Short mmCIF file of all heavy atoms in Angstrom, two decimals:
data_model
loop_
_atom_site.label_atom_id
_atom_site.label_comp_id
_atom_site.label_asym_id
_atom_site.label_seq_id
_atom_site.Cartn_x
_atom_site.Cartn_y
_atom_site.Cartn_z
N LEU I 315 0.25 -96.57 -76.51
CA LEU I 315 0.84 -97.77 -75.88
C LEU I 315 0.34 -97.86 -74.44
O LEU I 315 0.37 -96.86 -73.70
CB LEU I 315 2.38 -97.68 -75.94
CG LEU I 315 3.14 -98.78 -75.21
CD1 LEU I 315 3.00 -100.10 -75.94
CD2 LEU I 315 4.60 -98.42 -75.02
N GLU I 316 0.00 -99.06 -74.00
CA GLU I 316 -0.36 -99.29 -72.60
C GLU I 316 0.87 -99.81 -71.88
O GLU I 316 1.41 -100.87 -72.22
CB GLU I 316 -1.52 -100.29 -72.49
CG GLU I 316 -2.85 -99.78 -73.02
CD GLU I 316 -3.98 -100.74 -72.74
OE1 GLU I 316 -3.77 -101.66 -71.98
OE2 GLU I 316 -5.06 -100.50 -73.33
N TYR I 317 1.35 -99.04 -70.93
CA TYR I 317 2.57 -99.38 -70.20
C TYR I 317 2.41 -98.98 -68.73
O TYR I 317 2.89 -97.91 -68.33
CB TYR I 317 3.77 -98.73 -70.84
CG TYR I 317 5.10 -99.35 -70.44
CD1 TYR I 317 5.53 -100.53 -71.02
CD2 TYR I 317 5.90 -98.75 -69.48
CE1 TYR I 317 6.76 -101.09 -70.65
CE2 TYR I 317 7.10 -99.29 -69.09
CZ TYR I 317 7.51 -100.49 -69.69
OH TYR I 317 8.73 -101.06 -69.34
N PRO I 318 1.65 -99.72 -67.94
CA PRO I 318 1.34 -99.30 -66.58
C PRO I 318 2.49 -99.09 -65.63
O PRO I 318 2.38 -98.39 -64.64
CB PRO I 318 0.44 -100.45 -66.08
CG PRO I 318 0.76 -101.64 -66.92
CD PRO I 318 1.14 -101.09 -68.27
N ASP I 319 3.68 -99.67 -65.95
CA ASP I 319 4.83 -99.54 -65.02
C ASP I 319 5.70 -98.30 -65.31
O ASP I 319 6.79 -98.14 -64.75
CB ASP I 319 5.73 -100.77 -65.14
CG ASP I 319 5.10 -102.00 -64.45
OD1 ASP I 319 4.19 -101.77 -63.64
OD2 ASP I 319 5.52 -103.10 -64.78
N PHE I 320 5.18 -97.42 -66.17
CA PHE I 320 6.06 -96.30 -66.60
C PHE I 320 6.52 -95.43 -65.41
O PHE I 320 7.71 -95.18 -65.18
CB PHE I 320 5.28 -95.41 -67.62
CG PHE I 320 6.05 -94.19 -68.01
CD1 PHE I 320 7.04 -94.27 -69.01
CD2 PHE I 320 5.86 -92.96 -67.36
CE1 PHE I 320 7.76 -93.14 -69.37
CE2 PHE I 320 6.60 -91.84 -67.75
CZ PHE I 320 7.52 -91.93 -68.75
N TYR I 321 5.54 -94.99 -64.56
CA TYR I 321 5.90 -94.08 -63.46
C TYR I 321 6.65 -94.85 -62.32
O TYR I 321 7.45 -94.26 -61.63
CB TYR I 321 4.66 -93.40 -62.92
CG TYR I 321 4.17 -92.30 -63.90
CD1 TYR I 321 3.15 -92.51 -64.79
CD2 TYR I 321 4.86 -91.08 -63.89
CE1 TYR I 321 2.75 -91.59 -65.67
CE2 TYR I 321 4.44 -90.08 -64.82
CZ TYR I 321 3.40 -90.35 -65.68
OH TYR I 321 3.02 -89.37 -66.60
N LYS I 322 6.44 -96.10 -62.26
CA LYS I 322 7.20 -96.90 -61.30
C LYS I 322 8.68 -96.96 -61.69
O LYS I 322 9.57 -96.84 -60.87
CB LYS I 322 6.64 -98.32 -61.22
CG LYS I 322 7.29 -99.23 -60.18
CD LYS I 322 6.66 -100.59 -60.15
CE LYS I 322 7.41 -101.53 -59.15
NZ LYS I 322 6.80 -102.89 -59.14
N LYS I 323 8.90 -97.10 -63.00
CA LYS I 323 10.30 -97.11 -63.51
C LYS I 323 10.91 -95.73 -63.35
O LYS I 323 12.12 -95.61 -63.01
CB LYS I 323 10.28 -97.55 -64.98
CG LYS I 323 10.01 -99.05 -65.19
CD LYS I 323 10.11 -99.41 -66.61
CE LYS I 323 9.87 -100.94 -66.85
NZ LYS I 323 10.89 -101.78 -66.19
N LEU I 324 10.17 -94.65 -63.61
CA LEU I 324 10.71 -93.32 -63.41
C LEU I 324 11.02 -93.09 -61.94
O LEU I 324 12.11 -92.54 -61.60
CB LEU I 324 9.69 -92.27 -63.90
CG LEU I 324 10.08 -90.79 -63.69
CD1 LEU I 324 11.33 -90.45 -64.48
CD2 LEU I 324 8.91 -89.87 -64.11
N TYR I 325 10.17 -93.54 -61.05
CA TYR I 325 10.35 -93.39 -59.60
C TYR I 325 11.64 -94.11 -59.17
O TYR I 325 12.35 -93.58 -58.28
CB TYR I 325 9.13 -93.95 -58.90
CG TYR I 325 9.11 -93.72 -57.41
CD1 TYR I 325 8.90 -92.43 -56.85
CD2 TYR I 325 9.27 -94.80 -56.54
CE1 TYR I 325 8.86 -92.26 -55.49
CE2 TYR I 325 9.21 -94.60 -55.14
CZ TYR I 325 8.99 -93.33 -54.63
OH TYR I 325 8.95 -93.16 -53.28
N SER I 326 11.89 -95.23 -59.74
CA SER I 326 13.07 -96.03 -59.35
C SER I 326 14.39 -95.36 -59.75
O SER I 326 15.48 -95.69 -59.30
CB SER I 326 13.01 -97.44 -59.93
OG SER I 326 13.17 -97.38 -61.35
N LEU I 327 14.31 -94.42 -60.70
CA LEU I 327 15.50 -93.65 -61.11
C LEU I 327 15.91 -92.54 -60.13
O LEU I 327 16.98 -91.95 -60.24
CB LEU I 327 15.31 -93.05 -62.49
CG LEU I 327 15.17 -94.01 -63.69
CD1 LEU I 327 14.99 -93.21 -64.99
CD2 LEU I 327 16.38 -94.92 -63.80
N LEU I 328 15.04 -92.27 -59.18
CA LEU I 328 15.32 -91.23 -58.19
C LEU I 328 16.24 -91.76 -57.08
O LEU I 328 15.80 -92.50 -56.21
CB LEU I 328 14.06 -90.66 -57.58
CG LEU I 328 13.02 -90.06 -58.52
CD1 LEU I 328 11.77 -89.58 -57.74
CD2 LEU I 328 13.61 -88.91 -59.30
N ASP I 329 17.50 -91.45 -57.20
CA ASP I 329 18.47 -91.83 -56.19
C ASP I 329 19.41 -90.66 -55.95
O ASP I 329 19.34 -89.63 -56.63
CB ASP I 329 19.23 -93.10 -56.62
CG ASP I 329 20.00 -92.89 -57.92
OD1 ASP I 329 20.53 -91.79 -58.13
OD2 ASP I 329 20.11 -93.85 -58.73
N PRO I 330 20.26 -90.76 -54.94
CA PRO I 330 21.12 -89.53 -54.61
C PRO I 330 21.92 -89.00 -55.77
O PRO I 330 22.29 -87.86 -55.77
CB PRO I 330 22.05 -90.08 -53.49
CG PRO I 330 21.24 -91.18 -52.86
CD PRO I 330 20.50 -91.83 -53.98
N SER I 331 22.22 -89.84 -56.76
CA SER I 331 23.08 -89.38 -57.84
C SER I 331 22.42 -88.36 -58.79
O SER I 331 23.11 -87.64 -59.49
CB SER I 331 23.57 -90.59 -58.66
OG SER I 331 22.49 -91.14 -59.40
N ILE I 332 21.08 -88.28 -58.76
CA ILE I 332 20.41 -87.46 -59.79
C ILE I 332 20.75 -85.98 -59.61
O ILE I 332 20.62 -85.20 -60.54
CB ILE I 332 18.90 -87.67 -59.76
CG1 ILE I 332 18.30 -87.29 -58.41
CG2 ILE I 332 18.51 -89.02 -60.23
CD1 ILE I 332 16.82 -87.08 -58.45
N TYR I 333 21.17 -85.58 -58.41
CA TYR I 333 21.53 -84.16 -58.18
C TYR I 333 22.98 -83.89 -58.53
O TYR I 333 23.44 -82.75 -58.48
CB TYR I 333 21.26 -83.79 -56.71
CG TYR I 333 19.81 -83.74 -56.33
CD1 TYR I 333 19.35 -84.51 -55.29
CD2 TYR I 333 18.90 -82.95 -57.02
CE1 TYR I 333 17.99 -84.44 -54.91
CE2 TYR I 333 17.57 -82.88 -56.70
CZ TYR I 333 17.14 -83.68 -55.63
OH TYR I 333 15.81 -83.61 -55.30
N HIS I 334 23.72 -84.93 -58.89
CA HIS I 334 25.17 -84.77 -59.15
C HIS I 334 25.58 -85.11 -60.56
O HIS I 334 26.64 -84.70 -61.01
CB HIS I 334 25.95 -85.62 -58.16
CG HIS I 334 25.62 -85.34 -56.71
ND1 HIS I 334 26.22 -84.34 -55.99
CD2 HIS I 334 24.72 -85.91 -55.84
CE1 HIS I 334 25.75 -84.31 -54.73
NE2 HIS I 334 24.83 -85.26 -54.65
N VAL I 335 24.80 -85.95 -61.29
CA VAL I 335 25.23 -86.42 -62.59
C VAL I 335 25.19 -85.31 -63.63
O VAL I 335 24.50 -84.33 -63.47
CB VAL I 335 24.33 -87.59 -63.03
CG1 VAL I 335 24.55 -88.83 -62.20
CG2 VAL I 335 22.84 -87.18 -63.02
N LYS I 336 25.99 -85.54 -64.69
CA LYS I 336 26.08 -84.50 -65.72
C LYS I 336 24.82 -84.35 -66.55
O LYS I 336 24.63 -83.30 -67.18
CB LYS I 336 27.33 -84.75 -66.61
CG LYS I 336 27.24 -86.05 -67.38
CD LYS I 336 28.54 -86.24 -68.17
CE LYS I 336 28.56 -87.54 -68.96
NZ LYS I 336 29.79 -87.72 -69.74
N TYR I 337 23.95 -85.34 -66.54
CA TYR I 337 22.72 -85.27 -67.29
C TYR I 337 21.54 -84.79 -66.42
O TYR I 337 20.39 -85.02 -66.75
CB TYR I 337 22.40 -86.62 -67.97
CG TYR I 337 22.18 -87.80 -67.06
CD1 TYR I 337 20.95 -88.05 -66.48
CD2 TYR I 337 23.27 -88.62 -66.74
CE1 TYR I 337 20.76 -89.14 -65.64
CE2 TYR I 337 23.06 -89.73 -65.88
CZ TYR I 337 21.81 -89.98 -65.37
OH TYR I 337 21.63 -91.00 -64.51
N ARG I 338 21.87 -84.14 -65.29
CA ARG I 338 20.82 -83.69 -64.37
C ARG I 338 19.77 -82.80 -65.04
O ARG I 338 18.57 -82.93 -64.83
CB ARG I 338 21.49 -82.95 -63.21
CG ARG I 338 20.49 -82.50 -62.14
CD ARG I 338 21.18 -81.58 -61.09
NE ARG I 338 21.50 -80.30 -61.68
CZ ARG I 338 22.43 -79.48 -61.23
NH1 ARG I 338 23.23 -79.87 -60.24
NH2 ARG I 338 22.66 -78.30 -61.77
N ALA I 339 20.26 -81.88 -65.85
CA ALA I 339 19.36 -80.96 -66.55
C ALA I 339 18.37 -81.67 -67.45
O ALA I 339 17.16 -81.43 -67.42
CB ALA I 339 20.15 -79.93 -67.38
N ARG I 340 18.87 -82.67 -68.17
CA ARG I 340 18.00 -83.47 -69.05
C ARG I 340 17.01 -84.26 -68.24
O ARG I 340 15.82 -84.38 -68.59
CB ARG I 340 18.81 -84.41 -69.96
CG ARG I 340 17.93 -85.25 -70.91
CD ARG I 340 18.77 -86.27 -71.63
NE ARG I 340 19.60 -85.63 -72.67
CZ ARG I 340 19.18 -85.42 -73.89
NH1 ARG I 340 17.93 -85.72 -74.25
NH2 ARG I 340 19.97 -84.88 -74.80
N PHE I 341 17.48 -84.80 -67.09
CA PHE I 341 16.57 -85.63 -66.27
C PHE I 341 15.38 -84.78 -65.78
O PHE I 341 14.22 -85.19 -65.91
CB PHE I 341 17.35 -86.17 -65.08
CG PHE I 341 16.54 -86.98 -64.11
CD1 PHE I 341 16.47 -88.35 -64.33
CD2 PHE I 341 15.77 -86.42 -63.13
CE1 PHE I 341 15.69 -89.17 -63.48
CE2 PHE I 341 14.98 -87.18 -62.27
CZ PHE I 341 14.95 -88.56 -62.47
N PHE I 342 15.69 -83.59 -65.24
CA PHE I 342 14.59 -82.82 -64.66
C PHE I 342 13.70 -82.17 -65.76
O PHE I 342 12.51 -81.92 -65.57
CB PHE I 342 15.11 -81.79 -63.68
CG PHE I 342 15.44 -82.38 -62.37
CD1 PHE I 342 16.74 -82.77 -62.02
CD2 PHE I 342 14.44 -82.59 -61.44
CE1 PHE I 342 16.99 -83.35 -60.82
CE2 PHE I 342 14.71 -83.13 -60.21
CZ PHE I 342 15.99 -83.54 -59.89
N HIS I 343 14.32 -81.92 -66.91
CA HIS I 343 13.49 -81.43 -68.03
C HIS I 343 12.46 -82.47 -68.44
O HIS I 343 11.26 -82.18 -68.64
CB HIS I 343 14.37 -81.09 -69.21
CG HIS I 343 13.60 -80.83 -70.50
ND1 HIS I 343 12.90 -79.67 -70.70
CD2 HIS I 343 13.48 -81.60 -71.61
CE1 HIS I 343 12.33 -79.74 -71.90
NE2 HIS I 343 12.66 -80.88 -72.46
N LEU I 344 12.93 -83.74 -68.56
CA LEU I 344 11.99 -84.82 -68.95
C LEU I 344 11.04 -85.22 -67.81
O LEU I 344 9.85 -85.46 -68.06
CB LEU I 344 12.81 -86.06 -69.39
CG LEU I 344 13.60 -85.90 -70.68
CD1 LEU I 344 14.44 -87.10 -70.96
CD2 LEU I 344 12.64 -85.64 -71.86
#
Side-chain angles (χ1 to χ4, degrees):
L315 174 71
E316 291 187 12
Y317 197 80
D319 287 341
F320 177 81
Y321 286 99
K322 183 179 177 181
K323 288 183 178 295
L324 176 63
Y325 187 72
S326 69
L327 293 181
L328 300 181
D329 59 37
S331 69
I332 60 165
Y333 291 124
H334 304 274
V335 291
K336 61 182 179 181
Y337 60 86
R338 183 187 72 204
R340 180 186 287 273
F341 180 92
F342 281 96
H343 169 74
L344 291 176

